[in-house]
Amino acid sequence: MSSIRTVGFIGLGNMGVPMAANLAKAGYEVIAFDLDAGRAQGFALDHSARATDDLAELGKSADAVITMLPTGREVREVLLKTQNGALATHLKPGACVIDMSSADPVGTRALGQDLAARQIMLVDAPVSGGVPRARDGSLAIMIGGDPQAIATVKPLLSKMGQKLFEVGGLGCGHAMKALNNFLAATSFAASAEAVAVGRKFGLDPAVMIDVINVSTGRSFASENLIKQHVLSGAFGTGFTLGLLAKDAGIAADLANQIGMTAPVGQLIRDMWADARDAVGGDQDHTRAATHWQQRALRPTAE
Ligand code: NAD
């Protein structure tokens, strides 16, 4: 059972807009806030919702707040450090914050302690499925937190996702998401490399993908990205290079933070960071394939 009616939604970007739209469609009163005020206003106009540029007003009105921001840094900034007062100081005791961004799990646990001291619950609920599944409300959602807090927010989450997994205590959702995206980043990099090598040898990249997709090398990247976004030149997944490089970094850092070595994780983090620095963090993540291919073909100096 949930008493949540009014939801403050912070971060109306590629994912935030369709997710908040599904909440508005389901009858929740949505108050939108974005650093780029035009985005929140545009959303409000299109979805009979309300936009605000005042986090204090949002905090006083909302039963729950959803953050869908680039990284955990912005989430902590909004809740604890904005100029016109931290949002957390304006929330009602008992209110719930749901961080649906892909954030660092260790930072999430620390934030949870800060919020608990103000009687505010934190649940981490990052998502997978990209913009298309955000639109049709069928995201996979990985939920971490106190079971009672999770029970309170589940009805809300079920309006944005179809596959809801309770994966453990606070931070476990973010850890699960980072490790999933580490795998996505790895299979994309490996698929792109296989196609580049095959092409140079004389194979047709499109035929390669057809073969891989009915063979043991198939992956989300081979089935949904290489032909559709790299070979076609569309580069239009709606998921930026900066964000995937960030996720690969979170996964590699997590291993270090808990005293493990993760050699594949380090290599993948470095490859994505290199592509982000060379191509630009705001470019579609599938453009990394072109960068790596050009780099691989470049004759070595000396
Ligand atoms: P985005 O860059 O499109 O949107 C982020 C929004 O946050 C922007 O509108 C920006 O103006 C706003 N913002 C930034 N800093 C802010 C601040 N301090 N206060 C208020 N607003 C601020 O990003 P996105 O693609 O929507 O991704 C959001 C999160 O979801 C990221 O953590 C990303 O890794 C994750 N994610 C993205 C996808 C995808 O396919 N795009 C899929 C799954 C998960």
Side-chain angles (χ1 to χ4, degrees), residues 10-19 33-37 39-40 55 67-75 77-78 82 99-103 126-132 134 139-140 174 177 181 237-240 242-244 246-247 250 285:
I10 303 182
L12 282 303
N14 288 331
M15 293 293 284
V17 165
M19 289 164 65
F33 177 92
D34 197 288
L35 203 56
D36 179 343
R39 291 191 184 196
L55 279 175
T67 44
M68 194 55 178
L69 295 167
T71 74
R73 188 166 53 82
E74 290 83 12
V75 176
E77 242 167 54
V78 163
T82 31
D99 183 19
M100 303 192 76
S101 330
S102 306
V127 306
S128 188
V131 173
L139 290 165
H174 282 152
K177 170 66 183 172
N181 277 26
T237 64
F239 186 37
T240 64
L243 290 177
L244 189 50
K246 175 254 310 181
D247 293 339
I250 292 173
H285 77 283

Side-chain angles (χ1 to χ4, degrees), residues 3 28 40-42 49 51 58 64 70 83 113 122 125 132-133 164 184 228-229 260 273 280 283 288:
S3 51
Y28 288 97
Q41 283 155 10
L58 182 149
Q83 305 99 336
Q113 286 181 353
L122 178 64
R133 283 171 59 191
L164 273 52
Q228 295 85 336
H229 293 278
M260 290 184 69
Q283 296 292 313

Side-chain angles (χ1 to χ4, degrees), residues 8-268:
F9 203 107
I10 303 182
L12 282 303
N14 288 331
M15 293 293 284
V17 165
M19 289 164 65
N22 282 327
L23 294 181
K25 215 183 298 166
Y28 288 97
E29 188 191 340
V30 176
I31 308 174
F33 177 92
D34 197 288
L35 203 56
D36 179 343
R39 291 191 184 196
Q41 283 155 10
F43 169 80
L45 275 176
D46 292 344
H47 298 94
S48 53
R50 188 152 72 79
T52 184
D53 57 4
D54 182 358
L55 279 175
E57 190 247 338
L58 182 149
K60 284 174 195 143
S61 313
D63 304 313
V65 167
I66 293 179
T67 44
M68 194 55 178
L69 295 167
T71 74
R73 188 166 53 82
E74 290 83 12
V75 176
R76 290 187 285 277
E77 242 167 54
V78 163
L79 283 157
L80 303 176
K81 301 190 200 129
T82 31
Q83 305 99 336
N84 63 342
L87 173 58
T89 61
H90 301 291
L91 286 167
K92 308 169 201 168
C96 199
V97 174
I98 312 162
D99 183 19
M100 303 192 76
S101 330
S102 306
D104 56 299
V106 173
T108 299
R109 287 200 169 154
L111 177 63
Q113 286 181 353
D114 286 336
L115 295 182
R118 302 166 199 254
Q119 275 122 52
I120 297 163
M121 295 180 281
L122 178 64
V123 168
D124 51 318
V127 306
S128 188
V131 173
R133 283 171 59 191
R135 282 202 189 108
D136 67 18
S138 70
L139 290 165
I141 307 185
M142 307 151 212
I143 316 168
D146 168 72
Q148 225 179 323
I150 294 176
T152 308
V153 303
K154 250 185 149 176
L156 191 64
L157 297 178
S158 69
K159 303 296 183 289
M160 295 176 280
Q162 259 169 18
K163 294 196 161 66
L164 273 52
F165 296 94
E166 291 178 43
V167 293
L170 188 65
C172 286
H174 282 152
M176 182 66 238
K177 170 66 183 172
L179 294 169
N180 175 74
N181 277 26
F182 156 58
L183 291 177
T186 304
S187 54
F188 182 85
S191 304
E193 188 168 299
V195 167
V197 172
R199 188 201 292 262
K200 176 108 195 264
F201 187 75
L203 287 163
D204 178 337
V207 173
M208 285 184 76
I209 292 298
D210 291 342
V211 174
I212 289 166
N213 282 344
V214 292
S215 304
T216 48
R218 71 184 176 279
S219 63
F220 180 83
S222 71
E223 289 180 337
N224 298 285
L225 300 178
I226 301 288
K227 243 191 198 182
Q228 295 85 336
H229 293 278
V230 179
L231 300 181
S232 72
F235 302 113
T237 64
F239 186 37
T240 64
L241 194 33
L243 290 177
L244 189 50
K246 175 254 310 181
D247 293 339
I250 292 173
D253 288 349
L254 178 62
N256 284 335
Q257 284 160 334
I258 59 172
M260 290 184 69
T261 55
V264 181
Q266 281 170 24
L267 173 67
I268 291 300

